[in-house]
Amino acid sequence: MRLRRRVLRQIRHNRVGGSADCSVGRPSSSCHRLNRRSLIAAFTTVVVLAAVAFSLLPTAPPAVDVTTHTIVVDDVERLYHIALPHELPEIAPVVFAFHGMGDSPNSMATYSQLDRLASDHGFLLVYPTGLNAMWAAMDVDPETIDSNPDVRFFDALLEQIAAKYAIDDNRIYLTGMSNGASFVQILANARSAKISAVVACSGPRPRALNDARRPFPILLIVGDNDPAADLMQSDLEYYQAAGHDAELVIIPKLGHEWSIRHNADAWAFMADHQLSP
């Protein structure tokens, strides 16, 4: 009702705002122009206020059930969250989402809005939790990459997920933010035979990595105000030269943060790639 009263007040204001000549005798051409401007102004006001009102309507939560689980890897209890869409294919693709340094599955779910993406497109979404809120993506030794504690965590986690859910082994995807984005590139390098595609947001490739056993598709996303932008431009050139299907999206005026408006592009890239049976 308040919105309607504001619109009516604006229309009345526009109607009485013209010259007295418009209400006496034959209206002049200037009167017609005034009335036309008044109608346009009133219509514009209605559209703007309606848009504002629509934007304030509550958004339905994503149709997923979120649960927390544990798994013991090398005598260490590790945590992970699962976002299970209410509607899921009989054999579902799975996306593993790795948070940034200092983040958590809950905070990543909030800033990335990946739960809604999973709900909209029907994939199983897994949020692993890093030890001390970070991933082992620094001082990488290619010779000992199989013993990386977080690579081993992924191995055990994938085995447990596959035992509980009917997942598509040919559609296993990775995404990550910042430190998590650097780690998913380590993980894809180490487990390239199992990973269908990777989306790395605001996290460069660790320089110590060797070439992967199998080139994997990778989408790099970074803001042009992100300190990682130059490195990720170099990463694109490296990946393309090494035979990977690699793309780079640089987002104007974006800093070191996740871009929700590129979620659909990220999923389209992942969904377009799968391992050969």
Side-chain angles (χ1 to χ4, degrees):
M1 289 300 294
R2 286 198 298 268
L3 175 61
R4 182 181 175 187
R5 285 198 293 270
R6 289 178 60 187
V7 172
L8 290 176
R9 284 200 299 270
Q10 179 64 44
I11 293 174
R12 292 193 195 102
H13 172 74
N14 290 334
R15 284 177 175 173
V16 301
S19 168
D21 291 340
C22 291
S23 60
V24 179
R26 187 175 180 178
S28 64
S29 60
S30 62
C31 178
H32 284 300
R33 288 195 297 270
L34 178 60
N35 287 337
R36 185 178 179 183
R37 287 197 299 269
S38 298
L39 289 173
I40 291 173
F43 178 76
T44 302
T45 301
V46 171
V47 171
V48 171
L49 292 178
V52 171
F54 182 80
S55 69
L56 296 176
L57 292 175
T59 302
V64 298
D65 294 322
V66 179
T67 53
T68 302
H69 306 266
T70 62
I71 186 171
V72 177
V73 182
D74 298 331
D75 297 324
V76 178
E77 186 176 73
R78 305 296 298 264
L79 298 174
Y80 64 97
H81 292 191
I82 289 181
L84 182 66
H86 295 172
E87 295 186 11
L88 199 65
E90 185 175 346
I91 300 178
V94 56
V95 174
F96 290 85
F98 292 80
H99 59 73
M101 187 180 298
D103 295 336
S104 67
N106 286 336
S107 64
M108 186 177 190
T110 298
Y111 65 65
S112 71
Q113 294 295 296
L114 287 176
D115 287 10
R116 187 171 302 281
L117 191 70
S119 172
D120 290 344
H121 295 281
F123 60 82
L124 185 68
L125 178 58
V126 182
Y127 295 99
T129 304
L131 290 174
N132 300 315
M134 64 181 295
W135 302 102
M138 301 178 185
D139 300 323
V140 177
D141 182 354
E143 300 301 321
T144 60
I145 198 169
D146 287 340
S147 62
N148 179 303
D150 290 326
V151 171
R152 291 178 60 79
F153 176 29
F154 172 78
D155 290 342
L157 182 53
L158 178 58
E159 183 178 350
Q160 182 160 301
I161 294 294
K164 288 185 176 181
Y165 303 95
I167 65 170
D168 189 341
D169 292 335
N170 297 317
R171 302 182 69 191
I172 297 172
Y173 305 110
L174 307 177
T175 189
M177 171 65 191
S178 189
N179 169 241
S182 295
F183 175 69
V184 297
Q185 294 174 76
I186 295 173
L187 187 51
N189 181 286
R191 299 293 180 259
S192 58
K194 296 181 178 180
I195 304 305
S196 306
V198 177
V199 177
C201 302
S202 297
R205 174 183 179 273
R207 271 29 197 177
L209 281 179
N210 290 335
D211 291 341
R213 297 183 182 94
R214 163 192 163 270
F216 48 84
I218 182 166
L219 173 63
L220 305 167
I221 300 177
V222 67
D224 65 356
N225 290 332
D226 192 322
D230 289 343
L231 287 174
M232 295 184 73
Q233 176 67 58
S234 298
D235 292 340
L236 173 69
E237 297 166 4
Y238 165 82
Y239 280 122
Q240 290 178 337
H244 298 256
D245 177 2
E247 299 178 19
L248 171 65
V249 175
I250 299 178
I251 305 167
K253 300 180 181 179
L254 187 73
H256 192 70
E257 56 189 295
W258 187 278
S259 176
I260 294 174
R261 61 192 176 92
H262 287 84
N263 279 1
D265 295 329
W267 172 246
F269 180 85
M270 289 187 282
D272 196 41
H273 295 90
Q274 56 183 307
L275 298 177
S276 299

